[in-house]
């Protein structure tokens, strides 16, 4: 059985003291929650990773970054490398988020390079794929997802842990959630691709998270789908009460 993963993507939110407040509340609540079988990951802005990983040392959550450089080191102003993260004890990293694809023009080939850098440092990549509203309305969702999978995962063995997140772009931050059936359909396509192009064992083991306006009110119906193994949660992960409520729902299921 695959573990369930509840991951919070804070994006560019919170001041230092807000991060401390969140973590104080969250760590207290998490301590009283037996969440065996449910992995919890918090992805704050890079500046707060050290603080979050300090809290994580005495707690049971993992700390993840939101992006990584495709380069190893050197003259890349503003970038952070995978080896820097691993030297700080950071265990997870989101790559290929649609906001990076949109605002920073990231292509699958670049995301593939970032993936390789993370795997070399034994950091668990959380690789995002997803279609835009125009693509869904044009009826090409399946092809868009398959192209992204091919572009990012070509030649990747899946011998190390990899997490995939299906995040329909039209559902991110919009309050519009994919229905459980819509999400399940794409999750099954993703798992089938891994089965056909990597191996049946890799397909069985890879956690596939849903992301896009997931919240306490809709998490249960989404993660009860057979191929939905948890969530990558933006807005609702900023509130410690909502985030812990989602962890608890996952535990109960
Ligand atoms: P949202 O964001 O939950 O605010 O829709 C999800 C994400 O972008 O990872």
């Amino acid at each position: 059985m695959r573990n369930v993963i509840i991951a919070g993507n804070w994006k560019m939110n919170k001041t230092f003291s807000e991060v401390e407040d969140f973590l104080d509340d969250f760590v207290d609540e998490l301590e009283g929650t037996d969440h065996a079988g449910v992995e919890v990951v918090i992805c704050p802005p890079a500046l707060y990773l050290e603080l979050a990983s300090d809290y994580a040392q005495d707690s049971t959550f993992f700390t993840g970054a939101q992006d990584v450089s495709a380069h190893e080191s050197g003259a890349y102003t503003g970038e952070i490398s995978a080896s820097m993260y691993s030297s700080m004890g950071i265990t997870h990293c989101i790559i290929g988020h649609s906001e990076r694809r949109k605002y920073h023009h990231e292509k699958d080939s670049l995301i593939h390079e970032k993936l390789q850098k993370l795997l070399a440092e034994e950091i668990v990549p959380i690789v995002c794929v997803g279609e835009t509203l125009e693509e869904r309305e044009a009826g090409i969702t399946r092809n868009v997802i398959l192209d992204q999978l091919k572009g990012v995962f070509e030649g990747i063995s899946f011998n190390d842990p990899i997490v995939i997140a299906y995040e329909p772009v039209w559902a991110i931050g919009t309050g519009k959630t994919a229905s459980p059936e819509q999400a399940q359909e794409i999750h099954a396509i993703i798992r089938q691709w891994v089965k056909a192009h990597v191996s049946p064992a890799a397909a069985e083991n890879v956690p596939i998270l849903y992301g896009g306006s997931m919240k306490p009110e809709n998490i249960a119906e989404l993660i009860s789908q057979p191929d939905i193994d948890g969530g990558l949660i933006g807005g609702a992960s900023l509130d410690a009460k909502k985030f812990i409520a989602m962890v608890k729902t996952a535990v109960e299921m």
Side-chain angles (χ1 to χ4, degrees), residues 9 11 94 97-99 128 167 171-175 211-214 232-237:
N9 172 13
K11 309 189 180 184
I94 299 168
H97 192 280
S98 64
E99 287 149 18
C128 304
E167 298 206 309
I172 295 177
T174 58
S213 298
M214 194 182 246
L232 180 56
I233 302 147
S237 76

Side-chain angles (χ1 to χ4, degrees), residues 79-101:
E79 300 248 298
I80 301 175
S81 71
S83 60
M84 292 175 185
Y85 288 141
S86 80
S87 74
M88 299 287 291
I90 306 307
T91 52
H92 292 66
C93 182
I94 299 168
I95 48 172
H97 192 280
S98 64
E99 287 149 18
R100 304 269 341 153
R101 291 175 187 262

Side-chain angles (χ1 to χ4, degrees), residues 102-115:
K102 181 173 175 191
Y103 303 125
H104 302 271
H105 313 290
E106 294 198 4
K107 300 276 174 275
D108 293 328
S109 53
L110 179 74
I111 299 160
H112 174 81
E113 286 173 39
K114 293 184 173 192
L115 174 63

Side-chain angles (χ1 to χ4, degrees), residues 53-70:
S53 71
D54 279 351
Y55 274 86
Q57 299 241 310
D58 301 317
S59 183
T60 50
F61 71 91
F62 297 100
T63 313
Q66 298 177 10
D67 183 39
V68 66
S69 175

